[in-house]
Amino acid sequence: MLERLCALTGAEIRFEPLDLRNREALEALLAEARVDAVVHFAGLKAVGESVEKPLLYYENNVGGTIALLQAMAAHGVRSLVFSSSATVYGDPERLPIPEDHALRPTNPYGKSKLMIEHLLADHAASDPAFRYAALRYFNPIGAHPSGRIGEDPRGIPNNLLPFVAQVAVGKLPALKVFGNDYATSDGTGVRDYIHVMDLARGHVAALDYLSRKKHSITCNLGAGRGYSVLEVVKAFERASGRKVPLEFAARRAGDVAASYADPSLAAARLGWKAALDIDAMCRDVWRWQSQNPHGY
Ligand code: WQD
């Protein structure tokens, strides 16, 4: 996504591994580089882990963001795109989910994202020159079409797509389907999957919006339609030509039956819409996974 962002914005790409909580390193970077805007992806994102280690998630995600905002303020950087998440909505009361839906996150990960959204709103209220775009991602999947960049989680993947890809490439034996008794078309969980390349374009559109407008925005980044687990598996089998063996298992704690976005605000204000469908997402995941069977 970074490569895509830089290609689209003409920004320079330079990798500086840095912990946001390291105030000195952050200050040095912002003092040395001319920074027009910050795209803030840094954060822990495993829902299950956040339940086991809430303080780690609040310290890392919220604490890191406070340090970033303080350093940005000290160096006159007043434009930020923030990677938020659809988990701020919790179990949806209505579908598709609009931005004014109730915000009831059910785990420390989602709560940390909502805390940061509140932080950004308060900071913007205290400094009219500061503006931000909080982008609520639904389910990002996919890989760069070159096959050079893909998702390679450490250990056993939590999320559906990397797990399915590792089954298809022979690294894992079978996919456990967490629940097939939901009130959905085929009983399995429905999610709004969005290609990472569409997601990158959404960030570029948000940066452009912030450079043109003098106010902030919070919006969904989703395709606006859901796919069930079984539909995703079928799409992956089409893309890979491989069979994905399944085992039906109990529901996973914390899962909701269905979640998909109302993406109309991003279309109206950012001029952004997801363009790539589930077959393109699976094709790009498979290209990366088949070229990197053991990951990076
Ligand atoms: C998708 C569907 C599972 C794995 C999570 C985070 C969310 C966001 C995206 C950052 C569900 C089913 C999964 C498996 C399965 N991350 N599944 N077997 O849970 O919607 O969202 O990732 O913002 O914050 O919560 O995504 O990919 O884990 O699950 O049946 O081995 O696939 O039950 O229905 P989820 P997921």
Side-chain angles (χ1 to χ4, degrees):
M1 187 191 295
L2 277 175
E3 276 201 347
R4 176 89 170 130
L5 273 173
C6 291
L8 291 166
T9 57
E12 170 207 340
I13 194 164
R14 198 176 79 191
F15 290 102
E16 293 267 352
L18 180 152
D19 185 322
L20 287 185
R21 296 164 296 179
N22 178 342
R23 190 62 193 272
E24 208 179 310
L26 199 48
E27 292 276 353
L29 181 66
L30 291 177
E32 183 231 324
R34 187 178 68 79
V35 177
D36 299 316
V38 171
V39 183
H40 176 22
F41 302 109
L44 298 171
K45 63 159 247 159
V47 168
E49 183 186 51
S50 80
V51 175
E52 287 160 28
K53 303 173 185 167
L55 295 183
L56 172 67
Y57 270 66
Y58 293 132
E59 196 254 341
N60 186 75
N61 294 1
V62 182
T65 304
I66 291 171
L68 174 62
L69 291 173
Q70 288 170 331
M72 284 172 67
H75 293 273
V77 182
R78 291 192 163 80
S79 185
L80 177 110
V81 175
F82 170 59
S83 156
S84 189
S85 167
T87 34
V88 300
Y89 296 117
D91 195 347
E93 293 158 354
R94 51 195 163 121
L95 291 168
I97 305 175
E99 283 81 359
D100 64 357
H101 185 286
L103 300 173
R104 294 200 188 100
T106 56
N107 54 70
Y109 163 72
K111 290 174 188 172
S112 75
K113 289 293 186 180
L114 184 55
M115 283 179 193
I116 294 167
E117 287 192 16
H118 289 316
L119 245 170
L120 293 174
D122 291 344
H123 185 46
S126 74
D127 174 1
F130 174 77
R131 49 193 174 281
Y132 66 93
L135 306 178
R136 293 174 178 165
Y137 299 2
F138 277 70
N139 287 60
I141 63 169
H144 191 275
S146 66
R148 287 178 36 232
I149 312 171
E151 186 177 7
D152 183 23
R154 268 174 267 167
I156 302 291
N158 282 313
N159 296 134
L160 180 66
L161 255 295
F163 200 108
V164 168
Q166 290 191 19
V167 171
V169 83
K171 208 172 161 188
L172 293 170
L175 170 73
K176 271 201 176 68
V177 179
F178 295 141
N180 62 338
D181 58 351
Y182 286 107
T184 60
S185 55
D186 58 22
T188 63
V190 170
R191 296 291 185 274
D192 183 333
Y193 297 97
I194 168 174
H195 199 301
V196 284
M197 300 309 287
D198 276 327
L199 204 63
R201 285 190 308 107
H203 286 70
V204 174
L207 283 167
D208 178 52
Y209 178 87
L210 292 178
S211 69
R212 284 182 296 108
K213 302 278 182 184
K214 299 288 172 250
H215 45 74
S216 300
I217 184 172
T218 295
C219 64
N220 292 332
L221 288 193
R225 68 143 292 172
Y227 292 99
S228 75
V229 174
L230 297 183
E231 285 172 326
V232 171
V233 169
K234 284 199 186 66
F236 204 88
E237 289 179 333
R238 285 195 297 273
S240 63
R242 300 284 177 93
K243 191 81 188 105
V244 175
L246 303 176
E247 285 167 26
F248 287 97
R251 294 181 176 189
R252 180 173 64 176
D255 270 355
V256 299
S259 166
Y260 50 92
D262 171 348
S264 53
L265 187 67
R269 302 272 292 279
L270 303 184
W272 172 90
K273 261 170 78 72
L276 299 165
D277 66 8
I278 195 69
D279 288 310
M281 295 180 220
C282 290
R283 270 198 306 276
D284 290 340
V285 171
W286 178 242
R287 187 177 302 109
W288 182 83
Q289 190 71 74
S290 56
Q291 291 175 13
N292 303 273
H294 303 295
Y296 286 112

